[in-house]
Amino acid sequence: MTVEDRDLTLLDDAAHAAELPRESDSLDEENTLKKDFVRRVQDALAEDDQETVYALVEPLHPADIADLFELIEVEERPVLAKAINDLMGSEVFAELNDHVRELLVESLPAEAIADIAEQLDTDDAVAMLEDLDERDQQAVLAEMEPEDRAAIESALSYPEESAGRLMSRDFVAVPEHMTVGDLIDFLRDSHELANEFWEVFIVDARHHPVGTCALSWILRTPRAIRLTDVMQRDQTLIPVSMDQEEVALRFQKYALISAAVVDESGRLVGQITVDDVVHIIQEEAGEDVLLLSGAGDGDVNEPIRDSYVSRVRWLVANLLTALLGATIISSFSGAIEKLVALAALSPMVASIGGNAGTQTMAVAVRALATNQLTRANTRRILWRELRVAMLNGGTVATLIGLATALVFASPLLGAVIGAAVLTNIVTAGLAGVLVPVTLDRMGQDPAVASSVFVTMITDSMGFFAFLGLAVASGLVG
Amino acid sequence: MTVEDRDLTLLDDAAHAAELPRESDSLDEENTLKKDFVRRVQDALAEDDQETVYALVEPLHPADIADLFELIEVEERPVLAKAINDLMGSEVFAELNDHVRELLVESLPAEAIADIAEQLDTDDAVAMLEDLDERDQQAVLAEMEPEDRAAIESALSYPEESAGRLMSRDFVAVPEHMTVGDLIDFLRDSHELANEFWEVFIVDARHHPVGTCALSWILRTPRAIRLTDVMQRDQTLIPVSMDQEEVALRFQKYALISAAVVDESGRLVGQITVDDVVHIIQEEAGEDVLLLSGAGDGDVNEPIRDSYVSRVRWLVANLLTALLGATIISSFSGAIEKLVALAALSPMVASIGGNAGTQTMAVAVRALATNQLTRANTRRILWRELRVAMLNGGTVATLIGLATALVFASPLLGAVIGAAVLTNIVTAGLAGVLVPVTLDRMGQDPAVASSVFVTMITDSMGFFAFLGLAVASGLVG
């Protein structure tokens, strides 16, 4: 809603596009740093031309400076950090990719790290320090102001990826009897307030939150009104031990901007704001595709050795699964010798089953992660996926059966492969739901282990059904 | 920061846990509706006991009521809607799963839909109406108040999934000369304000945004200060045509809570708040795993026929890919007849290559989606993935080579399969990056088409390398 004021003349000026985001010298149309720009920075770094580096980097937003670090070579990063000096503020550190930050932090002395940590919000400072080894961590903490040190040690006492680590200890909490006017006066007089806050928490004598008051409400309420009369009593309280993924789901479900964090006794100890959660939502939602394939972190800044270790583990696990399939085929060697076409066709049956299984698995894993698949509707969803699998299986089995019968001039072979494909796709549909659900019920992350089991099932079933039916049907004399 | 007041006695009472979220009658420890609870609602619906249904549903948060609709059978939903009547407010509609809402809306008369739409924010109303067919849409719009109708028609004029559809037309924009005191008075006197806002936009005479002012700053600034002196001039402006995924990336990158939306001439036309974006982030980040496997929507509430159509298309595409592999194997029939072990071993080579390719593909697709992989660092990342692939390939090739040599008492066979696996895994590593990147450069969504091509490459290379080397090495007489 706009304020129409006699001083305000609203003239449309189609030519005036001064504020529109446009390609700049450094950012391209996708809002990422241009290749030329990065190259110019790298050239200046190579020539040790600190002035040019500084001039190029100075106009950038901290988030873009953080991106720049990711785009240059590993060896160039400490050089860049030195060249831009005072631009390397806490804001840039907060935005840095985890791996990049880890390397940079390792190259700095403890006092320098302590300085940066003191300027950061507790959750960002914790993110910076939590991956340091014990000795380095202690060294840094020793250099910090007692208050900040205590806050960080307190945060580190909570489990990793919990609300306690995510939360900020800066928030505004006021007693119940205050009026709007009291609050505004208090805020105006205080000099040490939270950087950003979107609502005010109202607490009782025991420091338990009794309600929240959005700033937009406070601003439009007359000064004399008591906060308890305008506050919202219905609030979402986050226990300090709650897993960050759960926190993210709550924020999404209830469209929260911020939420109070309470300890075991119900005392208000911190606040989580949605911008911290947004980062987690993207991470957690995006990681399923990486976990399902065993790609690990999926972060291209991860040291190569770490990527190798996590991925090769997965490949070896799948090797064992593939071995099972090879063993099954081996046991039908006699049949294959008599009808070599079987060797060419059996991988198709296994592969199609694998594809169908992966589809169902992807759906089930996402549905579990977003709480769409719960105990209350598991049976219904299983039945649904079974029906989809039968439709898919019927269609694909018919296509492949007809094609095979034609190409090999053998209706029996066509029927055998069709039946095998149908069996495998239906099996894949069932496995694609049951395996993730079972892992979830056992408290395991379904995205991590499901695909090994599902692939094992579809490969085995594929080879066994096809070759078994080929023999049983008398196709192979 | 807490206000210590003489009235405030802070006594820790460990026994007092009244505000902690705990299992309730209806929600379980994962904050989803309990199976029993859903069953009780369904029983009451079956007995047409509207009073019990109402009593059970009444204490629920609108988001939980929306979940309840997802957990009951399709036929039961209109019955539930009728039974809970006035609880079916606009809030519940805004939270409903898209497919569920579509079915419900189709069963309601145009006036009823118009009523609900009028109460919703424009973006939620648009979401409700945009999937109706033309005729029904017009019928509903005809029943609406002119103002609301105009807002929705305006929103519908923007492309699907664009900022124009996401934005809310309710925002607070004030002229440059205002002081903090003027603003507070204005907010107090106005009765028709945006429901929720977190910052105030300051506009010039041409209604172009010149800065923003967070409410937390306004509250702590003395009344006499001009807004232009406290406002933040550095702002992120969202063009009305920007794709929603891009909007989400901006919000994340710059940790925004809200952002101004401007039209082509730079005029402020709307506001997007982070809670709308959160929903999109989760969708967009989570869809890669579904797209890569061709699982389509991945929404378990999608009509079965739609799931079937999108998934079977994918299976058939993969069938053709598998056909290519079968053709390659066929061409080596002679070799297989002489050494049947080849039939058992070749699927392993293809499969391991497929796994490695999927890993790399998952990493590349996510990196492209999050702007971690850009033109500025493509070559570096390709080289990185190549090195990881060589490490993985070397390890797996050695393992499988040794095992095969032992089991078959044939060092040559071991060497052949080892070489083939190494070749395939390295090929997979290259393909896993190059295919998504190429599709991305061509303006296609890498997540949608990559896996068909990558699988085609790894299957073909797997069979060809192994069987080809087996023949070339003289293994097969």
Side-chain angles (χ1 to χ4, degrees):
Chain A
M1 187 175 142
T2 334
V3 166
E4 308 284 0
D5 196 87
R6 58 180 178 271
D7 288 351
L8 198 68
T9 44
L10 299 168
L11 298 165
D12 242 35
D13 184 359
H16 178 75
E19 301 296 347
L20 284 173
R22 62 195 184 290
E23 279 195 44
S24 67
D25 289 334
S26 47
L27 297 173
D28 62 19
E29 66 281 354
E30 297 208 343
N31 199 240
T32 60
L33 294 169
K34 281 178 173 168
K35 194 172 173 181
D36 301 332
F37 177 81
V38 176
R39 171 125 317 269
R40 280 194 285 159
V41 172
Q42 289 178 302
D43 289 344
L45 284 171
E47 291 162 24
D48 208 25
D49 183 355
Q50 294 202 353
E51 270 183 43
T52 305
V53 173
Y54 194 96
L56 283 170
V57 175
E58 207 255 326
L60 294 180
H61 187 285
D64 291 308
I65 298 179
D67 279 355
L68 179 59
F69 273 93
E70 277 184 60
L71 298 173
I72 61 180
E73 302 294 333
V74 175
E75 320 79 61
E76 292 171 324
R77 289 173 192 163
V79 189
L80 175 63
K82 234 171 105 190
I84 62 175
N85 201 307
D86 56 308
L87 295 172
M88 272 307 279
S90 55
E91 279 190 4
V92 173
F93 264 93
E95 299 285 340
L96 281 179
N97 169 275
D98 290 346
H99 297 290
V100 173
R101 181 173 52 212
E102 210 176 310
L103 286 174
L104 267 179
V105 161
E106 276 169 17
S107 66
L108 293 171
E111 311 89 55
I113 305 174
D115 267 342
I116 298 164
E118 278 165 358
Q119 297 168 53
L120 291 170
D121 286 339
T122 318
D123 53 321
D124 291 325
V126 167
M128 192 169 83
L129 299 179
E130 65 187 351
D131 290 324
L132 291 177
D133 62 46
E134 193 64 35
R135 218 174 52 119
D136 292 336
Q137 218 180 64
Q138 289 305 317
V140 172
L141 286 169
E143 297 284 335
M144 293 183 70
E145 295 291 317
E147 235 183 68
D148 296 316
R149 173 179 184 163
I152 291 181
E153 284 178 332
S154 165
L156 287 171
S157 72
Y158 295 116
E160 268 194 69
E161 300 197 345
S162 67
R165 295 241 181 150
L166 267 184
M167 69 187 191
S168 165
R169 281 159 182 68
D170 290 326
F171 53 85
V172 178
V174 296
E176 297 178 88
H177 62 265
M178 268 187 137
T179 63
V180 170
D182 294 336
L183 176 62
I184 294 181
D185 294 337
F186 164 63
L187 291 174
R188 291 227 179 90
D189 293 338
S190 304
H191 298 286
E192 270 200 50
L193 273 185
N195 289 338
E196 276 182 351
F197 56 99
W198 312 103
E199 56 188 359
V200 165
F201 299 106
I202 293 94
V203 294
D204 65 11
R206 276 175 300 214
H207 211 55
H208 293 161
V210 293
T212 63
C213 217
L215 295 186
S216 55
W217 276 108
I218 290 170
L219 275 174
R220 44 184 140 174
T221 307
R223 290 184 57 103
I225 307 291
R226 288 168 69 103
L227 290 174
T228 43
D229 292 334
V230 288
M231 75 182 183
Q232 189 182 306
R233 288 176 186 275
D234 193 17
Q235 36 175 356
T236 303
L237 299 173
I238 311 278
V240 94
S241 55
M242 184 181 275
D243 182 80
Q244 68 180 19
E245 192 167 7
E246 194 56 44
V247 173
L249 282 171
R250 298 283 169 106
F251 264 74
Q252 266 179 258
K253 185 174 183 179
Y254 299 118
L256 303 173
I257 296 289
S258 68
V261 182
V262 292
D263 66 11
E264 300 81 16
S265 59
R267 294 190 74 225
L268 175 63
V269 291
Q271 161 185 272
I272 296 176
T273 46
V274 68
D275 48 312
D276 289 317
V277 162
V278 147
H279 169 67
I280 290 164
I281 288 175
Q282 206 226 24
E283 247 181 49
E284 299 280 348
E287 73 179 7
D288 286 339
V289 68
L290 299 165
L291 290 173
L292 276 173
S293 60
D297 195 292
D299 189 332
V300 292
N301 292 294
E302 188 183 38
I304 284 185
R305 191 165 42 109
D306 295 359
S307 294
Y308 161 63
V309 164
S310 60
R311 290 193 215 176
V312 83
R313 219 167 20 200
W314 201 251
L315 291 178
V316 171
N318 276 285
L319 197 62
L320 298 173
T321 298
L323 199 68
L324 179 58
T327 311
I328 291 177
I329 299 177
S330 269
S331 63
F332 287 93
S333 296
I336 294 173
E337 276 178 333
K338 291 181 194 148
L339 181 56
V340 165
L342 294 179
L345 293 170
S346 29
M348 275 181 85
V349 181
S351 150
I352 268 297
N355 290 327
T358 306
Q359 284 181 342
T360 313
M361 203 172 38
V363 172
V365 165
R366 286 305 299 150
L368 282 165
T370 54
N371 277 344
Q372 258 201 328
L373 208 182
T374 65
R375 286 173 192 272
N377 64 354
T378 303
R379 187 171 298 184
R380 191 155 61 80
I381 288 178
L382 186 60
W383 176 224
R384 174 191 189 267
E385 289 302 320
L386 191 57
R387 283 183 290 171
V388 175
M390 291 195 291
L391 283 170
N392 284 334
T395 307
V396 177
T398 308
L399 283 171
I400 198 177
L402 286 174
T404 306
L406 279 166
V407 168
F408 289 89
S410 167
L412 183 56
L413 183 58
V416 163
I417 198 173
V421 163
L422 176 61
T423 308
N424 205 15
I425 288 182
V426 169
T427 305
L430 284 171
V433 175
L434 289 175
V435 170
V437 165
T438 308
L439 286 168
D440 187 58
R441 297 279 161 83
M442 283 165 45
Q444 300 301 311
D445 183 348
V448 172
S450 292
S451 62
V452 176
F453 293 114
V454 172
T455 313
M456 183 160 60
I457 291 170
T458 56
D459 272 2
S460 314
M461 179 57 89
F463 294 131
F464 188 72
F466 179 57
L467 296 168
L469 279 174
V471 170
S473 68
L475 190 66
V476 190
Chain B
M1 191 175 136
T2 334
V3 166
E4 308 284 0
D5 194 88
R6 56 180 180 272
D7 287 350
L8 197 68
T9 45
L10 298 169
L11 297 166
D12 242 34
D13 184 359
H16 177 77
E19 301 295 349
L20 284 173
R22 60 197 186 288
E23 279 193 44
S24 66
D25 289 334
S26 49
L27 297 173
D28 63 18
E29 68 280 355
E30 297 207 341
N31 199 242
T32 59
L33 294 169
K34 281 180 173 169
K35 195 172 173 179
D36 301 332
F37 177 80
V38 176
R39 171 127 314 273
R40 281 195 285 160
V41 172
Q42 289 178 302
D43 289 343
L45 285 171
E47 290 161 25
D48 207 24
D49 182 356
Q50 296 201 354
E51 269 184 41
T52 306
V53 173
Y54 194 97
L56 283 171
V57 175
E58 208 254 328
L60 294 180
H61 186 285
D64 292 307
I65 298 179
D67 281 355
L68 180 59
F69 273 92
E70 276 185 61
L71 297 173
I72 61 179
E73 304 292 333
V74 176
E75 319 79 61
E76 292 171 325
R77 289 173 192 163
V79 189
L80 175 62
K82 234 170 105 192
I84 62 174
N85 201 305
D86 56 308
L87 295 174
M88 273 307 279
S90 55
E91 281 190 3
V92 174
F93 264 92
E95 299 284 341
L96 281 178
N97 170 274
D98 290 345
H99 297 290
V100 173
R101 181 174 52 213
E102 211 176 309
L103 286 174
L104 268 180
V105 161
E106 278 169 15
S107 66
L108 293 171
E111 310 89 56
I113 305 174
D115 267 342
I116 298 164
E118 278 166 358
Q119 296 169 52
L120 292 169
D121 286 338
T122 317
D123 54 320
D124 291 326
V126 166
M128 191 166 84
L129 299 180
E130 64 187 351
D131 290 325
L132 291 177
D133 61 49
E134 193 64 35
R135 219 174 53 117
D136 293 336
Q137 217 180 66
Q138 288 307 315
V140 171
L141 287 169
E143 296 285 334
M144 294 183 70
E145 296 290 318
E147 236 184 66
D148 296 315
R149 173 179 183 164
I152 291 182
E153 284 178 333
S154 164
L156 288 171
S157 71
Y158 296 115
E160 266 195 71
E161 300 196 346
S162 67
R165 291 240 183 151
L166 266 185
M167 71 186 189
S168 165
R169 281 160 182 68
D170 290 327
F171 53 86
V172 178
V174 295
E176 297 178 87
H177 61 265
M178 267 187 140
T179 63
V180 168
D182 294 335
L183 174 64
I184 294 181
D185 294 337
F186 165 63
L187 290 174
R188 290 226 178 93
D189 294 337
S190 303
H191 297 289
E192 269 200 50
L193 272 185
N195 288 339
E196 276 183 348
F197 57 98
W198 312 103
E199 54 188 359
V200 166
F201 300 106
I202 292 96
V203 294
D204 65 10
R206 275 173 303 210
H207 211 54
H208 292 161
V210 293
T212 63
C213 216
L215 294 186
S216 56
W217 277 109
I218 291 170
L219 273 173
R220 41 184 142 171
T221 308
R223 289 182 57 100
I225 308 291
R226 287 168 68 105
L227 290 174
T228 42
D229 293 334
V230 287
M231 75 183 183
Q232 190 182 306
R233 288 176 186 274
D234 194 16
Q235 34 174 358
T236 303
L237 300 174
I238 311 276
V240 95
S241 54
M242 184 180 275
D243 183 80
Q244 68 180 19
E245 192 166 8
E246 194 58 46
V247 172
L249 282 172
R250 298 285 169 106
F251 264 75
Q252 265 178 259
K253 185 173 183 180
Y254 299 118
L256 304 173
I257 297 288
S258 67
V261 182
V262 292
D263 65 12
E264 300 81 15
S265 58
R267 293 191 74 222
L268 176 62
V269 290
Q271 160 185 273
I272 295 176
T273 47
V274 67
D275 48 313
D276 289 318
V277 162
V278 148
H279 169 66
I280 290 164
I281 288 175
Q282 206 224 26
E283 248 181 48
E284 298 280 350
E287 72 178 8
D288 287 338
V289 69
L290 298 164
L291 291 173
L292 275 173
S293 61
D297 195 293
D299 189 331
V300 293
N301 292 295
E302 185 184 38
I304 285 185
R305 191 164 41 109
D306 295 357
S307 294
Y308 160 64
V309 165
S310 60
R311 291 194 214 177
V312 84
R313 219 167 19 199
W314 200 250
L315 292 178
V316 172
N318 275 284
L319 198 60
L320 298 173
T321 299
L323 199 66
L324 179 58
T327 310
I328 293 176
I329 300 177
S330 269
S331 64
F332 287 93
S333 295
I336 295 174
E337 275 176 334
K338 291 179 195 154
L339 182 54
V340 165
L342 294 178
L345 293 171
S346 27
M348 276 180 84
V349 181
S351 150
I352 268 297
N355 290 328
T358 305
Q359 284 181 344
T360 314
M361 202 171 37
V363 172
V365 165
R366 284 307 299 152
L368 282 166
T370 54
N371 277 344
Q372 259 200 328
L373 208 181
T374 65
R375 286 172 192 271
N377 65 354
T378 303
R379 188 171 296 184
R380 190 156 62 80
I381 288 178
L382 186 59
W383 175 226
R384 173 190 190 266
E385 289 302 320
L386 190 57
R387 285 183 289 173
V388 175
M390 291 194 290
L391 283 169
N392 284 335
T395 308
V396 177
T398 308
L399 284 171
I400 198 177
L402 285 175
T404 305
L406 279 167
V407 168
F408 290 89
S410 168
L412 184 56
L413 182 58
V416 164
I417 198 173
V421 163
L422 176 61
T423 308
N424 205 15
I425 288 183
V426 169
T427 305
L430 285 171
V433 176
L434 290 175
V435 170
V437 166
T438 308
L439 286 168
D440 187 58
R441 298 279 161 85
M442 283 165 46
Q444 300 300 311
D445 183 347
V448 171
S450 292
S451 61
V452 175
F453 293 114
V454 173
T455 314
M456 183 160 62
I457 292 170
T458 55
D459 272 3
S460 314
M461 179 57 87
F463 294 130
F464 188 72
F466 179 57
L467 296 169
L469 279 173
V471 171
S473 69
L475 191 67
V476 190

